[in-house]
């Protein structure tokens, strides 16, 4: 089943914003020329590499068609290009160190590449290109060798089709100054790209004819004919969705305390492709992808066994993309699900706007772009347009009444909230988080408790700020209200006043308050 959206302007606004993040056709051609030159240099006759039959392929977001300008420290950064240099005839004496330095030494033999070469990375050699137009590239070259028969068999035993598993490679990893190992489990970027393309194939066939013609008409100085427009510049709803999600992540975590824990691109790309159901536009694709990610317990695209999170690599199931979520003290899982809620909120707010201009503006704000920007035009180092939700902090609360019952806290009660478009709406737009909720929405609160029935849940709502104060008698609230449903566990409230407010649940059993949730703050902008 595919997802549909109700705002006719949303898909167009998202697609336009994604185009502004994409690499322009002219800059794409420059990138192709750059990495083709590197490939030719590595494979030149008469060199130390030539006997090893180096095969250079482009991988990563350039290969997948999901490339965007990265955001680093709140500024537009250079494009990243990933190359894999596979030595197809490494020989029995090949060690991880020798593999790494065969490629690095060949790059250093070029005067140009030697000047552009960064210090040795853990797995890659990085070339830094500074372009005259201020939009540069970082090119990561990954030395590799063919995967072993053991690696291939392990992938096939786990159900990976041979067409994907056969592209596995061995990768050198530098652990210390002179300590190199073969990366445990190897890697398979080519197999991953083929898997992604298999998910994307039907949409690509549907989108390619019209997009190829449009790209040719607007870039006649770049392409000689319609047929010369490469598939790499066609964008399906899945590819646009991945671009939007990656950019949204970069913008929403810019300067956030969890910025270093933000979701990595391979997780976003894998989950998006796994959750995609062939939706015909980017708005529907995003809505469906985020809904299935959030409902991972049902969709099964994220595995959670006790305290362990697993997002398997689809072409190497022994590799867990979420492995670092399980590190002691890690907040990566928290950051991921917080971001999913933010993304759902921003899309829902844009969808709720009835005008084309309003929809376009809200989408642009959430992605840190200008509403009328064209693709890839801003120079590296340009500050990103990060939209901040400023809400007054908690104001005076002298109107908050103390509990009406004796208090003996022997149990727990937790409160969750989901934002709705209106009171008693069946559809949850996004879960309540620490991000502000727009005015004139509704929130459904629900209490879950360890107290055994029978009991009653009472709710205390405390509004603060100038708007609630000026609204008239009683609008600051502060008393106690009954809930709905069994035992009063549900409470509905509207978001009428700008400011920071709170709600708290009290569980009453035999006339005694045996559990209270503490303040659940709600910011309204």
């Amino acid at each position: 089943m595919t997802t549909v959206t109700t705002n006719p302007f949303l898909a167009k606004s998202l697609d336009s914003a994604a185009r502004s993040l994409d690499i322009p056709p002219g800059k794409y051609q420059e990138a192709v020329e750059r990495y083709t030159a590197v490939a030719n240099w590595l494979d030149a006759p008469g060199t130390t590499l030539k006997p090893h039959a180096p095969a250079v392929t482009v991988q990563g977001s350039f290969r997948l068609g999901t490339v965007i300008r990265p955001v680093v420290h709140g500024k537009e950064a250079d494009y990243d290009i990933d190359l894999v240099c596979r030595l197809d005839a490494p020989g029995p004496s090949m060690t991880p160190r020798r593999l790494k330095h065969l490629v690095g030494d060949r790059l250093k033999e070029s005067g140009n590449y030697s000047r552009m070469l960064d210090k040795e990375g853990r797995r890659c050699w990085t070339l830094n290109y500074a372009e005259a137009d201020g939009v540069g590239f970082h090119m990561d070259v990954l030395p590799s060798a063919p995967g072993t028969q053991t690696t291939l068999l392990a992938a096939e035993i786990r159900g990976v089709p041979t067409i994907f598993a056969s592209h596995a490679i061995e990768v050198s990893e530098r652990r210390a100054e002179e300590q190199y190992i073969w990366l445990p489990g190897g890697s398979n970027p080519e197999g991953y790209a083929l898997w992604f393309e298999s998910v994307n194939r039907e949409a690509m066939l549907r989108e390619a004819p019209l997009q190829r013609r449009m790209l040719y008409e607007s870039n006649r100085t770049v392409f000689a004919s319609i047929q010369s427009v490469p598939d790499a510049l066609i964008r399906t709803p899945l590819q646009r969705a991945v671009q939007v999600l990656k950019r949204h992540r970069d913008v929403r975590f810019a300067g956030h305390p969890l910025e270093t824990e933000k979701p990595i691109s391979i997780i976003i790309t894998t989950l998006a492709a796994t959750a995609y159901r062939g939706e015909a536009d980017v708005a529907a694709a995003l809505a469906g992808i985020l809904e299935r990610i959030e409902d991972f317990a049902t969709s099964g695209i994220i595995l959670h066994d006790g305290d362990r999170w697993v997002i398997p690599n689809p072409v190497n199931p022994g590799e867990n993309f979420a492995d670092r979520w399980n590190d002691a003290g890690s907040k990566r899982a928290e950051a991921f699900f917080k971001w999913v809620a933010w993304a759902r909120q921003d899309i829902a707010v844009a969808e709720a706007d009835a005008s084309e201009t309003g929809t376009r503006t809200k989408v642009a704000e959430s992605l840190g772009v200008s509403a009328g920007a064209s693709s890839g035009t801003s120079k590296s180092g340009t500050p990103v347009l990060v939209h901040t939700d400023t809400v007054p902090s908690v104001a005076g609360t002298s109107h908050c009444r103390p509990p009406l019952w004796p208090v003996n806290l022997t149990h727990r009660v937790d409160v969750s909230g989901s934002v709705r478009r209106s009171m008693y709406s069946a559809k949850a737009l996004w879960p309540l988080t620490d991000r502000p909720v727009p005015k004139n929405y509704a929130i459904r609160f629900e209490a879950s408790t360890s107290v055994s029935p029978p009991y009653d849940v009472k709710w205390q709502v405390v509004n603060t700020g100038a708007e609630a104060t000026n609204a008239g008698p009683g609008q600051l609230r502060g008393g106690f209200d009954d809930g709905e449903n069994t035992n009063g566990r549900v409470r509905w409230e509207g978001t009428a006043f700008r400011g920071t407010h709170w709600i708290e649940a009290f569980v009453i059993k035999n006339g005694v308050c045996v559990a209270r949730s503490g303040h659940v703050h709600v910011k309204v902008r």
Side-chain angles (χ1 to χ4, degrees):
M1 179 181 295
T2 58
T3 306
V4 295
T5 54
T6 57
N7 183 332
F9 310 118
L10 183 58
K12 180 180 177 181
S13 298
L14 286 165
D15 194 69
S16 176
R19 282 200 307 273
S20 75
L21 304 171
D22 210 339
I23 187 167
K27 183 59 66 174
Y28 168 81
Q29 290 293 82
E30 284 184 31
V32 171
E33 292 169 4
R34 301 294 187 270
Y35 67 68
T36 300
V38 170
N40 290 339
W41 177 259
L42 293 173
D43 192 33
T47 68
T48 53
L49 273 188
K50 189 62 177 177
H52 301 289
V56 179
T57 56
V58 64
Q59 299 295 345
S61 60
F62 258 73
R63 170 67 182 273
L64 301 179
T66 59
V67 62
I68 61 167
R69 292 286 295 278
V71 175
V72 178
H73 303 308
K75 297 180 180 179
E76 303 279 10
D78 294 340
Y79 288 103
D80 291 322
I81 304 175
D82 298 314
L83 299 184
V84 173
C85 178
R86 190 175 76 167
L87 305 188
D88 282 341
S93 63
M94 185 65 69
T95 64
R97 185 188 186 284
R98 184 161 181 256
L99 174 76
K100 183 79 172 292
H101 284 277
L102 273 171
V103 176
D105 290 346
R106 175 58 184 158
L107 290 171
K108 292 174 185 177
E109 289 174 5
S110 162
N112 284 335
Y113 296 149
S114 180
R115 286 190 296 272
M116 296 158 56
L117 201 60
D118 209 338
K119 64 180 181 180
E120 181 183 356
R122 193 158 56 105
R123 299 174 189 170
C124 297
W125 297 99
T126 299
L127 296 168
N128 297 307
Y129 289 80
E131 302 297 334
D133 60 2
V135 181
F137 301 100
H138 293 310
M139 190 177 297
D140 290 333
V141 182
L142 177 70
S144 68
T148 64
Q149 192 65 23
T150 302
T151 303
L152 173 61
L153 289 174
E156 291 180 338
I157 289 172
R158 290 173 176 265
V160 179
T162 303
I163 192 173
F164 303 147
S166 60
H167 295 280
I169 56 175
E170 300 298 319
V171 174
S172 169
E173 181 169 87
R174 181 172 179 252
R175 291 290 178 91
E177 187 64 32
E178 285 298 322
Q179 181 185 356
Y180 295 78
I181 66 166
W182 293 116
L183 179 68
S187 186
N188 194 349
E190 177 69 16
Y192 184 92
L194 293 173
W195 167 79
F196 185 89
E197 289 166 2
S198 72
V199 175
N200 200 40
R201 184 170 295 118
E202 287 189 17
M204 177 64 75
L205 292 173
R206 184 179 67 234
E207 299 287 336
L210 177 59
Q211 286 194 35
R212 188 171 277 114
R213 177 175 291 278
M214 292 174 63
L215 283 165
Y216 169 69
E217 294 295 343
S218 58
N219 295 276
R220 284 176 173 264
T221 59
V222 178
F223 304 114
S225 65
I226 294 176
Q227 290 71 28
S228 65
V229 177
D231 285 348
L233 290 176
I234 307 301
R235 298 291 183 257
T236 67
L238 170 59
Q239 290 166 310
R240 285 295 190 219
V242 173
Q243 289 178 308
V244 168
L245 290 171
K246 291 197 298 184
R247 176 65 171 207
H248 184 273
R249 167 209 57 192
D250 288 346
V251 170
R252 282 304 176 192
F253 280 102
H256 192 278
L258 291 174
E259 185 171 11
T260 58
E261 311 271 355
K262 69 183 182 182
I264 58 176
S265 293
I266 192 65
I267 284 180
I268 293 173
T269 305
T270 301
L271 293 179
T274 304
Y276 181 58
R277 297 293 182 270
E279 287 86 354
D281 64 63
V282 62
L286 280 168
I289 288 166
L290 290 169
E291 182 177 323
R292 292 172 197 117
I293 289 175
E294 196 162 74
D295 191 25
F296 67 89
T298 300
S299 65
I301 63 175
I302 300 175
L303 306 177
H304 190 212
D305 182 12
D307 293 330
R308 180 170 172 77
W309 295 95
V310 177
I311 300 174
N313 181 337
V315 298
N316 183 9
E319 181 179 9
N320 177 15
F321 288 144
D323 195 45
R324 296 194 67 188
W325 290 17
N326 304 310
D327 292 348
S330 172
K331 294 185 177 180
R332 287 176 174 82
E334 174 190 342
F336 177 81
F337 289 107
K338 188 183 289 287
W339 165 71
V340 170
W342 291 343
R344 290 193 69 183
Q345 175 177 349
D346 285 336
I347 292 171
V349 169
E351 184 177 9
D353 198 295
S355 71
E356 182 173 7
T357 300
T359 303
R360 185 169 61 247
T361 299
K362 287 181 172 61
V363 167
E365 286 178 349
S366 70
L367 299 179
V369 298
S370 169
S374 57
S375 64
T377 53
S378 56
K379 294 183 178 181
S380 297
T382 302
V384 172
L385 301 172
V386 178
H387 177 70
T388 56
D389 294 318
T390 55
V391 173
S393 57
V394 174
T397 59
S398 59
H399 52 287
C400 176
R401 296 178 61 186
L404 303 177
W405 317 268
V407 176
N408 181 22
L409 301 180
T410 56
H411 292 75
R412 286 190 56 188
V413 59
D414 298 304
V415 173
S416 60
S418 57
V419 181
R420 315 290 173 113
R421 191 64 191 89
S422 58
M423 294 291 285
Y424 303 105
S425 172
K427 181 182 178 181
L429 299 178
W430 66 85
L432 183 68
T433 67
D434 56 355
R435 284 198 57 212
V437 179
K439 289 175 64 173
N440 302 317
Y441 277 66
I443 304 175
R444 181 185 185 274
F445 297 96
E446 183 168 356
S448 57
T449 181
S450 61
V451 181
S452 58
Y455 59 81
D456 291 311
V457 179
K458 302 295 183 181
W459 297 85
Q460 184 176 50
V461 175
V462 177
N463 290 330
T464 76
E467 288 193 5
T469 301
N470 297 333
Q475 295 305 314
L476 288 172
R477 311 278 288 277
F480 295 89
D481 298 294
D482 294 331
E484 302 175 23
N485 290 33
T486 305
N487 305 316
R489 293 188 303 109
V490 172
R491 179 75 192 176
W492 287 82
E493 292 288 340
T495 58
F497 308 121
R498 184 170 182 267
T500 300
H501 321 292
W502 81 66
I503 188 169
E504 185 170 9
F506 296 75
V507 181
I508 313 303
K509 187 177 180 69
N510 299 325
V512 177
C513 175
V514 295
R516 57 188 296 182
S517 65
H519 299 167
V520 177
H521 286 93
V522 178
K523 298 178 181 179
V524 179
R525 58 179 171 86

